[in-house]
Amino acid sequence: SYFFNKIFDLDISYIEKCIRKIENNFDLFFSDIAYSNIIMHIIIAIKRIQLGRDIVMPKKELNSLIDTQEFKIALTLADELEEYYCIKIPKDEIGYITIHFLGANKSNLTNNKVIKNLEKYEHIAKQIISNVSYYIGIDLTNDKQLLEGFMEHLQPTMYRIKHHLILKNPILSEIKIKYGYLFDIVKIAVSPLEEYLEKNILNEDEIGYLVLHFGASLERYRIDEIIKPDVLVVCGTGIGTAEILVSRLKRIFNINIVGN
């Protein structure tokens, strides 16, 4: 904050407080990278306004953003920034702030997030998961956790690609080393998403984030595929005692109780 305060001659700490307030009020938590990108964009926007420089967003694009929850959040932020910095933030600027919110990796703390345009994201997610399953020879289409996580990830990804926002992946090299074969497969399998985005090709940073979802799914698959030992429970004191023993054994060990 001190560094940016000196360069831009702004009280950056107030912007940070506003973003934290948004997280609290709207029950959100931004990733570190998303948080930094939003702060930087707001700093530049404020300086642009102070210098009298206009930025214009096509009306059609702006109108498509107005009904989103993120636009309402951006309006709330704009009100506070206008009062504190004694500026007037035009709707076009609010639109670009909205794009950063939409493209941000964020989580909902109470896990009650409703994904808008659910059918669109679900259709694309299922296509990609089906493609990956075909190429690796393992059916991941029944992994509900994969589908839900993938759908939630698609929303900000699509906004980033559409609006040419770059999200660097700090562990890209590690992902390529651990999941090299999977990386190449996902790169091909995301064609339905690229077609929807009118041939906008996903960069390797975005591919890397998608690979992590499939890597986690494969880990879950391998755990489920471990052969469970068959166990027969024999107890001389009665069925009730045997049932208690069965419950204890199942809780402690990954086994298949064939009878008691």
PDB file of all heavy atoms in Angstrom, residues 25-48:
ATOM      1  N   ASN A  25     -20.076  -7.876   3.375  1.00  0.00           N
ATOM      2  CA  ASN A  25     -21.492  -7.587   3.135  1.00  0.00           C
ATOM      3  C   ASN A  25     -22.151  -8.568   2.168  1.00  0.00           C
ATOM      4  O   ASN A  25     -23.339  -8.870   2.284  1.00  0.00           O
ATOM      5  CB  ASN A  25     -21.669  -6.162   2.609  1.00  0.00           C
ATOM      6  CG  ASN A  25     -21.360  -5.113   3.658  1.00  0.00           C
ATOM      7  OD1 ASN A  25     -21.242  -5.426   4.838  1.00  0.00           O
ATOM      8  ND2 ASN A  25     -21.216  -3.866   3.243  1.00  0.00           N
ATOM      9  N   PHE A  26     -21.351  -9.034   1.189  1.00  0.00           N
ATOM     10  CA  PHE A  26     -21.914  -9.926   0.175  1.00  0.00           C
ATOM     11  C   PHE A  26     -21.456 -11.369   0.357  1.00  0.00           C
ATOM     12  O   PHE A  26     -21.655 -12.207  -0.518  1.00  0.00           O
ATOM     13  CB  PHE A  26     -21.557  -9.421  -1.225  1.00  0.00           C
ATOM     14  CG  PHE A  26     -22.211  -8.121  -1.578  1.00  0.00           C
ATOM     15  CD1 PHE A  26     -21.566  -6.912  -1.334  1.00  0.00           C
ATOM     16  CD2 PHE A  26     -23.481  -8.099  -2.131  1.00  0.00           C
ATOM     17  CE1 PHE A  26     -22.164  -5.706  -1.649  1.00  0.00           C
ATOM     18  CE2 PHE A  26     -24.093  -6.892  -2.450  1.00  0.00           C
ATOM     19  CZ  PHE A  26     -23.435  -5.687  -2.203  1.00  0.00           C
ATOM     20  N   ASP A  27     -20.823 -11.644   1.494  1.00  0.00           N
ATOM     21  CA  ASP A  27     -20.465 -13.007   1.854  1.00  0.00           C
ATOM     22  C   ASP A  27     -19.550 -13.653   0.810  1.00  0.00           C
ATOM     23  O   ASP A  27     -19.746 -14.794   0.387  1.00  0.00           O
ATOM     24  CB  ASP A  27     -21.739 -13.848   2.030  1.00  0.00           C
ATOM     25  CG  ASP A  27     -21.499 -15.070   2.901  1.00  0.00           C
ATOM     26  OD1 ASP A  27     -20.622 -14.999   3.762  1.00  0.00           O
ATOM     27  OD2 ASP A  27     -22.187 -16.084   2.706  1.00  0.00           O
ATOM     28  N   LEU A  28     -18.526 -12.888   0.391  1.00  0.00           N
ATOM     29  CA  LEU A  28     -17.592 -13.357  -0.630  1.00  0.00           C
ATOM     30  C   LEU A  28     -16.182 -13.387  -0.072  1.00  0.00           C
ATOM     31  O   LEU A  28     -15.869 -12.747   0.934  1.00  0.00           O
ATOM     32  CB  LEU A  28     -17.620 -12.425  -1.852  1.00  0.00           C
ATOM     33  CG  LEU A  28     -18.919 -12.330  -2.649  1.00  0.00           C
ATOM     34  CD1 LEU A  28     -18.801 -11.219  -3.673  1.00  0.00           C
ATOM     35  CD2 LEU A  28     -19.244 -13.654  -3.316  1.00  0.00           C
ATOM     36  N   PHE A  29     -15.335 -14.145  -0.774  1.00  0.00           N
ATOM     37  CA  PHE A  29     -13.909 -14.130  -0.436  1.00  0.00           C
ATOM     38  C   PHE A  29     -13.123 -14.211  -1.735  1.00  0.00           C
ATOM     39  O   PHE A  29     -13.166 -15.221  -2.430  1.00  0.00           O
ATOM     40  CB  PHE A  29     -13.553 -15.300   0.473  1.00  0.00           C
ATOM     41  CG  PHE A  29     -12.127 -15.254   0.952  1.00  0.00           C
ATOM     42  CD1 PHE A  29     -11.762 -14.432   2.008  1.00  0.00           C
ATOM     43  CD2 PHE A  29     -11.142 -16.011   0.332  1.00  0.00           C
ATOM     44  CE1 PHE A  29     -10.447 -14.363   2.447  1.00  0.00           C
ATOM     45  CE2 PHE A  29      -9.823 -15.949   0.758  1.00  0.00           C
ATOM     46  CZ  PHE A  29      -9.481 -15.126   1.825  1.00  0.00           C
ATOM     47  N   PHE A  30     -12.415 -13.122  -2.094  1.00  0.00           N
ATOM     48  CA  PHE A  30     -11.641 -13.084  -3.332  1.00  0.00           C
ATOM     49  C   PHE A  30     -10.289 -13.767  -3.136  1.00  0.00           C
ATOM     50  O   PHE A  30      -9.682 -13.668  -2.072  1.00  0.00           O
ATOM     51  CB  PHE A  30     -11.396 -11.637  -3.771  1.00  0.00           C
ATOM     52  CG  PHE A  30     -12.639 -10.904  -4.188  1.00  0.00           C
ATOM     53  CD1 PHE A  30     -13.201  -9.944  -3.370  1.00  0.00           C
ATOM     54  CD2 PHE A  30     -13.248 -11.177  -5.397  1.00  0.00           C
ATOM     55  CE1 PHE A  30     -14.357  -9.261  -3.740  1.00  0.00           C
ATOM     56  CE2 PHE A  30     -14.404 -10.504  -5.784  1.00  0.00           C
ATOM     57  CZ  PHE A  30     -14.956  -9.546  -4.955  1.00  0.00           C
ATOM     58  N   SER A  31      -9.821 -14.432  -4.188  1.00  0.00           N
ATOM     59  CA  SER A  31      -8.475 -14.989  -4.142  1.00  0.00           C
ATOM     60  C   SER A  31      -7.479 -13.830  -4.084  1.00  0.00           C
ATOM     61  O   SER A  31      -7.807 -12.689  -4.426  1.00  0.00           O
ATOM     62  CB  SER A  31      -8.199 -15.850  -5.377  1.00  0.00           C
ATOM     63  OG  SER A  31      -8.119 -15.032  -6.541  1.00  0.00           O
ATOM     64  N   ASP A  32      -6.243 -14.112  -3.670  1.00  0.00           N
ATOM     65  CA  ASP A  32      -5.233 -13.055  -3.548  1.00  0.00           C
ATOM     66  C   ASP A  32      -4.992 -12.350  -4.880  1.00  0.00           C
ATOM     67  O   ASP A  32      -4.879 -11.120  -4.945  1.00  0.00           O
ATOM     68  CB  ASP A  32      -3.910 -13.645  -3.038  1.00  0.00           C
ATOM     69  CG  ASP A  32      -4.001 -14.044  -1.577  1.00  0.00           C
ATOM     70  OD1 ASP A  32      -4.965 -13.631  -0.908  1.00  0.00           O
ATOM     71  OD2 ASP A  32      -3.116 -14.778  -1.108  1.00  0.00           O
ATOM     72  N   ILE A  33      -4.914 -13.141  -5.966  1.00  0.00           N
ATOM     73  CA  ILE A  33      -4.653 -12.565  -7.289  1.00  0.00           C
ATOM     74  C   ILE A  33      -5.817 -11.688  -7.723  1.00  0.00           C
ATOM     75  O   ILE A  33      -5.628 -10.572  -8.214  1.00  0.00           O
ATOM     76  CB  ILE A  33      -4.400 -13.677  -8.328  1.00  0.00           C
ATOM     77  CG1 ILE A  33      -3.122 -14.447  -7.978  1.00  0.00           C
ATOM     78  CG2 ILE A  33      -4.292 -13.094  -9.729  1.00  0.00           C
ATOM     79  CD1 ILE A  33      -2.862 -15.659  -8.844  1.00  0.00           C
ATOM     80  N   ALA A  34      -7.043 -12.181  -7.533  1.00  0.00           N
ATOM     81  CA  ALA A  34      -8.233 -11.409  -7.912  1.00  0.00           C
ATOM     82  C   ALA A  34      -8.310 -10.112  -7.106  1.00  0.00           C
ATOM     83  O   ALA A  34      -8.614  -9.046  -7.649  1.00  0.00           O
ATOM     84  CB  ALA A  34      -9.491 -12.247  -7.689  1.00  0.00           C
ATOM     85  N   TYR A  35      -8.011 -10.210  -5.813  1.00  0.00           N
ATOM     86  CA  TYR A  35      -8.030  -9.042  -4.922  1.00  0.00           C
ATOM     87  C   TYR A  35      -7.054  -7.975  -5.425  1.00  0.00           C
ATOM     88  O   TYR A  35      -7.402  -6.796  -5.538  1.00  0.00           O
ATOM     89  CB  TYR A  35      -7.666  -9.493  -3.510  1.00  0.00           C
ATOM     90  CG  TYR A  35      -7.552  -8.387  -2.482  1.00  0.00           C
ATOM     91  CD1 TYR A  35      -8.686  -7.882  -1.850  1.00  0.00           C
ATOM     92  CD2 TYR A  35      -6.314  -7.870  -2.136  1.00  0.00           C
ATOM     93  CE1 TYR A  35      -8.572  -6.880  -0.901  1.00  0.00           C
ATOM     94  CE2 TYR A  35      -6.196  -6.869  -1.191  1.00  0.00           C
ATOM     95  CZ  TYR A  35      -7.327  -6.376  -0.571  1.00  0.00           C
ATOM     96  OH  TYR A  35      -7.203  -5.386   0.368  1.00  0.00           O
ATOM     97  N   SER A  36      -5.845  -8.384  -5.755  1.00  0.00           N
ATOM     98  CA  SER A  36      -4.819  -7.449  -6.237  1.00  0.00           C
ATOM     99  C   SER A  36      -5.220  -6.815  -7.565  1.00  0.00           C
ATOM    100  O   SER A  36      -5.034  -5.608  -7.772  1.00  0.00           O
ATOM    101  CB  SER A  36      -3.477  -8.172  -6.404  1.00  0.00           C
ATOM    102  OG  SER A  36      -3.040  -8.693  -5.175  1.00  0.00           O
ATOM    103  N   ASN A  37      -5.772  -7.627  -8.476  1.00  0.00           N
ATOM    104  CA  ASN A  37      -6.183  -7.107  -9.784  1.00  0.00           C
ATOM    105  C   ASN A  37      -7.300  -6.077  -9.652  1.00  0.00           C
ATOM    106  O   ASN A  37      -7.312  -5.062 -10.357  1.00  0.00           O
ATOM    107  CB  ASN A  37      -6.645  -8.252 -10.687  1.00  0.00           C
ATOM    108  CG  ASN A  37      -5.487  -9.104 -11.174  1.00  0.00           C
ATOM    109  OD1 ASN A  37      -4.334  -8.692 -11.114  1.00  0.00           O
ATOM    110  ND2 ASN A  37      -5.791 -10.304 -11.648  1.00  0.00           N
ATOM    111  N   ILE A  38      -8.250  -6.333  -8.760  1.00  0.00           N
ATOM    112  CA  ILE A  38      -9.362  -5.403  -8.561  1.00  0.00           C
ATOM    113  C   ILE A  38      -8.854  -4.081  -7.983  1.00  0.00           C
ATOM    114  O   ILE A  38      -9.240  -2.996  -8.437  1.00  0.00           O
ATOM    115  CB  ILE A  38     -10.432  -6.025  -7.629  1.00  0.00           C
ATOM    116  CG1 ILE A  38     -11.144  -7.182  -8.338  1.00  0.00           C
ATOM    117  CG2 ILE A  38     -11.451  -4.968  -7.200  1.00  0.00           C
ATOM    118  CD1 ILE A  38     -12.006  -8.028  -7.420  1.00  0.00           C
ATOM    119  N   ILE A  39      -7.975  -4.172  -6.985  1.00  0.00           N
ATOM    120  CA  ILE A  39      -7.393  -2.961  -6.376  1.00  0.00           C
ATOM    121  C   ILE A  39      -6.667  -2.133  -7.434  1.00  0.00           C
ATOM    122  O   ILE A  39      -6.853  -0.904  -7.535  1.00  0.00           O
ATOM    123  CB  ILE A  39      -6.401  -3.334  -5.248  1.00  0.00           C
ATOM    124  CG1 ILE A  39      -7.113  -4.038  -4.083  1.00  0.00           C
ATOM    125  CG2 ILE A  39      -5.662  -2.085  -4.753  1.00  0.00           C
ATOM    126  CD1 ILE A  39      -8.032  -3.166  -3.281  1.00  0.00           C
ATOM    127  N   MET A  40      -5.840  -2.800  -8.252  1.00  0.00           N
ATOM    128  CA  MET A  40      -5.063  -2.089  -9.271  1.00  0.00           C
ATOM    129  C   MET A  40      -5.977  -1.421 -10.294  1.00  0.00           C
ATOM    130  O   MET A  40      -5.747  -0.273 -10.703  1.00  0.00           O
ATOM    131  CB  MET A  40      -4.105  -3.061  -9.968  1.00  0.00           C
ATOM    132  CG  MET A  40      -3.230  -2.413 -11.037  1.00  0.00           C
ATOM    133  SD  MET A  40      -2.264  -1.006 -10.422  1.00  0.00           S
ATOM    134  CE  MET A  40      -1.122  -1.866  -9.344  1.00  0.00           C
ATOM    135  N   HIS A  41      -7.017  -2.107 -10.701  1.00  0.00           N
ATOM    136  CA  HIS A  41      -7.942  -1.526 -11.685  1.00  0.00           C
ATOM    137  C   HIS A  41      -8.627  -0.284 -11.112  1.00  0.00           C
ATOM    138  O   HIS A  41      -8.766   0.727 -11.811  1.00  0.00           O
ATOM    139  CB  HIS A  41      -9.002  -2.546 -12.106  1.00  0.00           C
ATOM    140  CG  HIS A  41      -9.984  -1.976 -13.095  1.00  0.00           C
ATOM    141  ND1 HIS A  41      -9.752  -1.954 -14.447  1.00  0.00           N
ATOM    142  CD2 HIS A  41     -11.186  -1.359 -12.905  1.00  0.00           C
ATOM    143  CE1 HIS A  41     -10.767  -1.361 -15.061  1.00  0.00           C
ATOM    144  NE2 HIS A  41     -11.651  -0.990 -14.137  1.00  0.00           N
ATOM    145  N   ILE A  42      -9.042  -0.357  -9.850  1.00  0.00           N
ATOM    146  CA  ILE A  42      -9.723   0.779  -9.229  1.00  0.00           C
ATOM    147  C   ILE A  42      -8.778   1.972  -9.100  1.00  0.00           C
ATOM    148  O   ILE A  42      -9.174   3.128  -9.331  1.00  0.00           O
ATOM    149  CB  ILE A  42     -10.294   0.370  -7.852  1.00  0.00           C
ATOM    150  CG1 ILE A  42     -11.439  -0.625  -8.039  1.00  0.00           C
ATOM    151  CG2 ILE A  42     -10.792   1.599  -7.087  1.00  0.00           C
ATOM    152  CD1 ILE A  42     -11.909  -1.268  -6.754  1.00  0.00           C
ATOM    153  N   ILE A  43      -7.523   1.706  -8.746  1.00  0.00           N
ATOM    154  CA  ILE A  43      -6.533   2.789  -8.655  1.00  0.00           C
ATOM    155  C   ILE A  43      -6.412   3.516  -9.993  1.00  0.00           C
ATOM    156  O   ILE A  43      -6.458   4.751 -10.068  1.00  0.00           O
ATOM    157  CB  ILE A  43      -5.146   2.229  -8.248  1.00  0.00           C
ATOM    158  CG1 ILE A  43      -5.184   1.717  -6.806  1.00  0.00           C
ATOM    159  CG2 ILE A  43      -4.060   3.287  -8.414  1.00  0.00           C
ATOM    160  CD1 ILE A  43      -3.944   0.943  -6.408  1.00  0.00           C
ATOM    161  N   ILE A  44      -6.271   2.735 -11.065  1.00  0.00           N
ATOM    162  CA  ILE A  44      -6.116   3.320 -12.402  1.00  0.00           C
ATOM    163  C   ILE A  44      -7.388   4.059 -12.805  1.00  0.00           C
ATOM    164  O   ILE A  44      -7.319   5.151 -13.398  1.00  0.00           O
ATOM    165  CB  ILE A  44      -5.776   2.214 -13.428  1.00  0.00           C
ATOM    166  CG1 ILE A  44      -4.389   1.634 -13.116  1.00  0.00           C
ATOM    167  CG2 ILE A  44      -5.814   2.753 -14.858  1.00  0.00           C
ATOM    168  CD1 ILE A  44      -4.034   0.398 -13.907  1.00  0.00           C
ATOM    169  N   ALA A  45      -8.542   3.494 -12.471  1.00  0.00           N
ATOM    170  CA  ALA A  45      -9.817   4.137 -12.814  1.00  0.00           C
ATOM    171  C   ALA A  45      -9.943   5.500 -12.125  1.00  0.00           C
ATOM    172  O   ALA A  45     -10.361   6.488 -12.745  1.00  0.00           O
ATOM    173  CB  ALA A  45     -10.980   3.233 -12.417  1.00  0.00           C
ATOM    174  N   ILE A  46      -9.587   5.560 -10.845  1.00  0.00           N
ATOM    175  CA  ILE A  46      -9.674   6.823 -10.093  1.00  0.00           C
ATOM    176  C   ILE A  46      -8.741   7.871 -10.699  1.00  0.00           C
ATOM    177  O   ILE A  46      -9.127   9.033 -10.900  1.00  0.00           O
ATOM    178  CB  ILE A  46      -9.341   6.599  -8.604  1.00  0.00           C
ATOM    179  CG1 ILE A  46     -10.443   5.760  -7.934  1.00  0.00           C
ATOM    180  CG2 ILE A  46      -9.191   7.938  -7.871  1.00  0.00           C
ATOM    181  CD1 ILE A  46     -10.110   5.331  -6.530  1.00  0.00           C
ATOM    182  N   LYS A  47      -7.509   7.464 -10.999  1.00  0.00           N
ATOM    183  CA  LYS A  47      -6.559   8.413 -11.594  1.00  0.00           C
ATOM    184  C   LYS A  47      -7.045   8.876 -12.966  1.00  0.00           C
ATOM    185  O   LYS A  47      -6.879  10.043 -13.328  1.00  0.00           O
ATOM    186  CB  LYS A  47      -5.182   7.771 -11.721  1.00  0.00           C
ATOM    187  CG  LYS A  47      -4.491   7.498 -10.393  1.00  0.00           C
ATOM    188  CD  LYS A  47      -4.385   8.740  -9.514  1.00  0.00           C
ATOM    189  CE  LYS A  47      -3.476   9.801 -10.081  1.00  0.00           C
ATOM    190  NZ  LYS A  47      -3.312  10.960  -9.161  1.00  0.00           N
ATOM    191  N   ARG A  48      -7.640   7.961 -13.717  1.00  0.00           N
ATOM    192  CA  ARG A  48      -8.160   8.297 -15.043  1.00  0.00           C
ATOM    193  C   ARG A  48      -9.249   9.364 -14.921  1.00  0.00           C
ATOM    194  O   ARG A  48      -9.270  10.340 -15.682  1.00  0.00           O
ATOM    195  CB  ARG A  48      -8.699   7.026 -15.697  1.00  0.00           C
ATOM    196  CG  ARG A  48      -9.136   7.195 -17.147  1.00  0.00           C
ATOM    197  CD  ARG A  48      -9.224   5.851 -17.856  1.00  0.00           C
ATOM    198  NE  ARG A  48      -9.966   4.871 -17.089  1.00  0.00           N
ATOM    199  CZ  ARG A  48      -9.603   3.587 -16.968  1.00  0.00           C
ATOM    200  NH1 ARG A  48      -8.502   3.158 -17.542  1.00  0.00           N
ATOM    201  NH2 ARG A  48     -10.342   2.741 -16.286  1.00  0.00           N
TER     202      ARG A  48
END
